[in-house]
Each structure stands twice: as C-alpha cells, then as structure tokens.
Amino acid sequence: MSPTALSAGPEHGHVTFLGAGPGDPGLLTLRAVEALANADVLVAEHEVLDVVRQHARQGVSEVHTDSDPSQEPGPGTGAPQLTLVDGTSTGVAAPAVRDAAHLVMEAARGGRRVVRAVSGDPGLDTYAAEEMLACAAAGVPFEVVPGIASAVGVPAYAGVPLRDAQGADVRFVDARTASDRCWTEVGASDGTVVVSTTLDSVAAAAGELVSAGRKPDTPMTVTVAGTTTRQRTWTATLGTIAQTLKQAKVLPSPDGGRPVIAVVGERSAAAQRDQLAWFESKPLFGWKVLVPRTKEQAASLSDQLRSYGAVPHEVPTIAVEPPRTPQQMERAVKGLVTGRYEWIAFTSVNAVKAVREKFEEYGLDARAFAGIKVAAVGEQTAKALIAFGVKPDLVPSGEQSAAGLLEDWPPYDPVFDPIDRVFLPRADIATETLVAGLIELGWEVDDVTAYRTVRASPPPAETREAIKGGGFDAVLFTSSSTVRNLVGIAGKPHNVTVIACIGPATAKTAEEHGLRVDVMAPEPSVHKLAEALADFGAKRRAAALEAGDPVTRPSERRPGARRRRSTT
C-alpha cells in the first residue's frame, strides 16, 4: 500500500519512519524507495541524506541535520540541529533550533506525506521512537519501514559472521550508553559481542570487556565507514587493538569520533575474515576513477565501476552545441515526417536530444516516427528514445557500437523495403564506420550533422588539482578526443594515476601527451575497458598479498614508483 493510500485526507498527513541502512545506497528496501518517491517532505539525518534524496521526487522539501556526523556522538545520543532546505530554492534556513518531532508533526498536520529517515533501523533510534509516540498522541497516522541496522550490516560487509553452526549467542552493545551492569553481563558471556562505539573509544570498550572477564587474546575486528567504499577494517585482539590502531596511524586523529562497529568473539577470528572479506577485496575497492564523460553518457559505465568497488567521478570533456548551419537538419526532419526514410539510426543520447529538440521546435512528438524503423546504438541511447516515447526496433545484441549495430542491421531488400534511405543524425566529428557499412548493405544514407562537439569548460579547481596531483587512482580514456580535451581543460594526470585506454589509437594519443598507458581494452568497448581495469586491480592486489605488502591504492603509492604495463 502506498503512502498516498495510507493518508487520512488533506487535513491529516502521514509519516513514514524509514531506516536508511548503514550507508550503502543499495541496501535501501523496495518499500523505502516507494515511500521516498511519494514524499512531500523529507526529514533526514545528515549522514543519510545523500542515500535517500536520490529517490525523492523533484521539488520535495528536505530537512537534514546541520552538523558533521563525524563530530556527533551518534544516533539517539544528542538532539539533532536541523536546517530546512526547500528543493525548489537555493535553501531557506529554518530557526536554528527546531525539534525534529515538531517539524514532522507540523508538516503532517498540514496534510503532507512526510518521510523521516534515520541511519540504520528506526527501531534502534531513540528519537524516532519519541516521534512515533508524538504521532500516536496527535492522531497522525504513521508507518515504519525497517532498515538494515549498522550492527548487522557492517559486520556482513566486513566479512565477519556473527553466528556459526554452533549457534553462539550474539549480544549487541552501544558503548556510548552502556552501563556497568551491561558490560558485566556481556563479559560473562562467551558469545559474540557487537559493539557500537567511536574510533577513539574502541580501546576503552575493549578494556571494559577485559575487566568484565573476557580474555585479552579474544579476537576483535573494528570497521569504520562500513558498507561504503571508504570502509576499512582492522583485525586484532582485545589486548592489542589500541596498538593496532596506533600502528595504522588512525589514532590519535581529529576523526576519532567517527562511528565504528567492533565485533568480539572467537568466531570473528582473522582466519575467517581473510576468507570472507568479500567487499574490501573487490578489485578496485576504494579507487577514485576519473571518467571523462557526462553523467548521462557514463551512467552504465559508472555503475559497472561501482560493482568493482570503485568511486567513479565523471568529468565532461566535451560540450554539445547546435550545428553551424541548421538547414540540413531541418530538411531531414521534414523528410522524416513526409516518408523519405525507412530507418533512422541514433548513435548517441545527444543525437536523440537533438532530434527531440527539433521536433519540439516544429510542434511534433513521438507520433511522427510512425511507420519508420528506429535503431539505437546501445542501451543508454535506447533509454533516451523510450523516454521520448519511442521504442527502438533494433539495438545491437552484441557490442554496443557502430560495428555492433552493423552486425545486426538487415541488408536492403527491394521486395520488403519500400524505401532505401536511412536518416543518420550524429556529431560533426563522428567516424565513417556506420555510413560505409550501411552503404555496403545496400542502403542510401543521409549523414546529417545534428550537433557539434566542442571542448567543455574546465572542471572545478579541486578536481583539476586532484588530476594533476595524483588524487585519482585511474582514468579511463574512451577516445583520442577525451585525452586531448582532458589534458586541455584540466592538465595531465599525475604519474601515479593508472591510465586505461579503449584501444591502440587512444593509447597512441595518450603516449603523445606524455602519459604511460597501463591498461588497454581487449576490444573497443567501454565495458571491456572497465573489465580490463578491474583485472589490472585484481592482479595488483594479488601481487601485494603474495609479497606480504599492504594492499594500497595507486594514489597512496610513492610518487614516481614504477608500474608494469598491462594490455590485458
């Protein structure tokens, strides 16, 4: 049942108390996504705002904590300071101190659908419980959407099982509020203990357990930023954890107040974590990868990189402008309407956008494609067409490229094809591969410049500094123009940055610009390029482990360190 159906009417709103999980956006439940999509007001803790806001509808009002979560004692231990931000404006400040329950109730009484998002699970959040009671007392209908609790989700991502075949007890302790009696009870138990604490209080929590009866050599794992690509886990014992964190140079630190999850018990031994640490052992875990494409172009590629544990950062290197002489495009669109073409082939999202804009200029819509076969070079282009209201007749079954499109394109047949002409709207710098292939198949092609590509504006200074200073672990070059344009607008990537190129021509351009190519795709496909980079990362990780060295990212290595060239 949707939040709309649960609303009691315009004078009575509805509140959804929603668990946003421990940090990974992929851990939101389907019910949580549905509730967010229907919300009028989103009230969220600072640390989960980015997780939930991407699923909220455009124009929703947002309320979030106005402080750095690393400096907070944690959920339920201090009332949040809130700032109101309206999604349709640049930001409207609310009074400095406003109670979250008051904001929730005020919006709900106005007949609005409110989502109150908290970290982890609402049932473990003190203030969420208080706000539920306030709703109940005021007669405001509400529901609870459970989330994955940090105390459960983080150990799973750290590769630390909480129970095994012997079925030992599992105790959960919040060290920030635990009493002496609580420590005594868990110390007397021989089960697994999951401790929610902060980085600078881990050693004190370990000391409490030892004082309560646990042996100093009891295994202990400590995970910070769990379920995110910043996750890091240390394995030690109750007696050695303080020294382990000191040697890792994470303490003392201004970030010592960061929340952590510690797991204590015989079944959290290092040997098990070595075998079960599936998340942190991803081939590109934590790598910052520069993708010189727009967010729209890089969507599927960035998703693929995330699946390898990377943190993609899109930087557009080209901008799109109308053709200098629009008459050719105008004639082609008119020909599309009058039946001049049998096919129209879209080789990019930008081509779809250019045709759509021309349609809107003439007062046309997707119905103008009636009777015309439509081809899309790949999934992203196909999605752009579907958003326009056009379902493509042909999308390559194999490689998503001009060559892949030609593999599936039917030859011209004068018996079955009443018209022999193809409309091909594309960029001014496009290659002739598709045109030549279609002509070879017997088709006539109107190759029309639908848009021009020009060098994009430089990225922010922070990004330029990271590119030149070695802040990125890798950069993916998908064409020679991306090499030239990135160097032109942002400077040459640092020597420690892994350079990955889609093919020999792109690699040659990179080398001409003084870059050493480390990875080259086995075939000209952006997804094969990402696979090749992941393979490079996996081999690099395996070599470090075999040598007994710590696994580090390229950006963490000493500048000037030599790296092997890989073309796999």
Side-chain angles (χ1 to χ4, degrees):
M1 187 179 294
S2 70
T4 305
L6 287 165
S7 177
E11 69 280 2
H12 297 293
H14 178 270
V15 181
T16 299
F17 293 94
L18 183 150
D24 182 350
L27 294 180
L28 280 176
T29 64
L30 293 174
R31 181 68 192 89
V33 172
E34 180 188 4
L36 288 164
N38 286 281
D40 299 313
V41 177
L42 173 59
V43 182
E45 294 177 355
H46 180 92
E47 60 266 34
V48 303
L49 185 60
D50 286 341
V51 173
V52 296
R53 74 186 338 166
Q54 60 186 294
H55 298 288
R57 62 183 178 81
Q58 189 174 8
V60 69
S61 294
E62 297 175 356
V63 181
H64 63 90
T65 59
D66 193 34
S67 55
D68 184 346
S70 68
Q71 304 302 316
E72 292 295 308
T77 60
Q81 301 299 305
L82 300 167
T83 299
L84 177 65
V85 179
D86 189 276
T88 59
S89 67
T90 56
V92 182
V97 180
R98 292 190 70 179
D99 183 74
H102 175 73
L103 288 165
V104 169
M105 296 299 297
E106 185 179 37
R109 286 194 184 105
R112 308 181 79 183
R113 293 164 297 191
V114 184
V115 167
R116 173 70 167 110
V118 301
S119 178
D121 179 81
L124 297 176
D125 187 283
T126 302
Y127 288 95
E130 291 181 358
E131 292 160 26
M132 291 177 205
L133 287 170
C135 286
V140 174
F142 69 92
E143 66 173 328
V144 178
V145 177
I148 296 176
S150 297
V152 175
V154 172
Y157 269 57
V160 182
L162 301 183
R163 301 191 75 178
D164 60 11
Q166 282 69 47
D169 288 342
V170 181
R171 306 289 185 92
F172 296 91
V173 178
D174 189 335
R176 297 159 292 196
T177 58
S179 63
D180 291 341
R181 180 181 176 183
C182 176
W183 288 117
T184 300
E185 288 180 356
V186 297
S189 167
D190 62 355
T192 299
V193 182
V194 182
V195 183
S196 301
T197 182
T198 57
L199 194 56
D200 55 6
S201 299
V202 169
E208 293 279 6
L209 287 169
V210 172
S211 298
R214 287 293 178 115
K215 296 179 181 179
D217 62 355
T218 303
M220 181 180 197
T221 60
V222 174
T223 303
V224 65
T227 78
T228 74
T229 50
R230 303 183 308 279
Q231 176 175 308
R232 191 173 177 187
T233 302
W234 297 273
T235 302
T237 65
L238 289 174
T240 62
I241 188 61
Q243 184 64 22
T244 297
L245 294 177
K246 183 178 179 181
Q247 290 176 344
K249 298 181 179 179
V250 293
L251 285 176
S253 164
D255 294 330
R258 297 171 69 190
V260 301
I261 297 294
V263 182
V264 179
E266 295 298 333
R267 293 168 182 81
S268 65
Q272 282 187 307
R273 202 184 103 75
D274 289 344
Q275 300 172 57
L276 301 176
W278 63 274
F279 187 54
E280 290 173 60
S281 61
K282 287 189 172 187
L284 300 177
F285 182 78
W287 283 39
K288 287 185 66 178
V289 179
L290 183 67
V291 183
R293 310 180 104 194
T294 63
K295 285 188 180 295
E296 293 78 15
Q297 290 176 314
S300 61
L301 176 58
S302 292
D303 286 344
Q304 184 180 2
L305 289 169
R306 289 188 190 96
S307 74
Y308 300 136
V311 184
H313 185 87
E314 295 97 353
V315 173
T317 58
I318 62 169
V320 175
E321 295 183 355
R324 287 193 176 92
T325 53
Q327 291 83 2
Q328 186 186 25
M329 183 68 171
E330 290 170 358
R331 284 195 301 269
V333 170
K334 289 176 182 177
L336 191 70
V337 177
T338 57
R340 175 178 170 81
Y341 302 107
E342 178 77 8
W343 281 90
I344 180 171
F346 292 96
T347 58
S348 70
V349 172
N350 286 326
V352 177
K353 182 180 178 183
V355 171
R356 184 170 185 171
E357 288 175 350
K358 191 61 68 174
F359 267 38
E360 291 171 352
E361 182 181 327
Y362 292 145
L364 301 172
D365 57 28
R367 289 173 293 183
F369 286 100
I372 299 172
K373 296 173 185 174
V374 180
V377 76
E379 292 178 5
Q380 293 305 312
T381 304
K383 286 180 181 178
L385 282 166
I386 291 170
F388 187 18
V390 180
K391 184 178 179 181
D393 301 281
L394 175 62
V395 180
S397 57
E399 179 186 323
Q400 297 189 358
S401 66
L405 195 58
L406 286 170
E407 285 287 329
D408 293 345
W409 197 288
Y412 171 66
D413 188 325
V415 175
F416 295 103
D417 297 313
I419 305 169
D420 66 352
R421 192 170 297 275
V422 177
F423 175 21
L424 181 59
R426 57 189 193 140
D428 57 334
I429 59 171
T431 63
E432 299 302 314
T433 302
L434 185 55
V435 174
L438 290 172
I439 292 173
E440 189 174 336
L441 289 170
W443 295 93
E444 294 289 331
V445 182
D446 277 2
D447 184 11
V448 178
T449 298
Y451 60 94
R452 291 185 300 120
T453 54
V454 298
R455 183 175 289 178
S457 301
E462 181 182 359
T463 301
R464 298 198 302 271
E465 291 169 8
I467 292 172
K468 293 182 287 188
F472 286 99
D473 298 290
V475 57
L476 297 183
F477 286 121
T478 55
S479 66
S480 291
S481 62
T482 59
V483 178
R484 291 189 292 267
N485 290 344
L486 182 71
V487 173
I489 66 175
K492 190 169 72 171
H494 193 276
N495 182 54
V496 300
T497 305
V498 173
I499 306 298
C501 295
I502 199 167
T506 304
K508 181 181 179 182
T509 303
E511 289 169 348
E512 289 172 351
H513 283 77
L515 300 174
R516 181 173 63 251
V517 177
D518 302 282
V519 179
M520 191 154 63
E523 55 187 78
S525 158
V526 292
H527 297 295
K528 290 295 182 181
L529 177 58
E531 285 180 11
L533 180 63
D535 184 56
F536 177 91
K539 290 178 179 177
R540 188 176 178 276
R541 175 184 174 82
L545 292 173
E546 185 177 351
D549 296 332
V551 177
T552 59
R553 303 191 307 274
S555 61
E556 296 174 315
R557 295 189 67 178
R558 174 174 53 85
R562 296 184 65 186
R563 294 172 278 118
R564 279 185 192 173
R565 176 189 176 98
S566 171
T567 57
T568 58

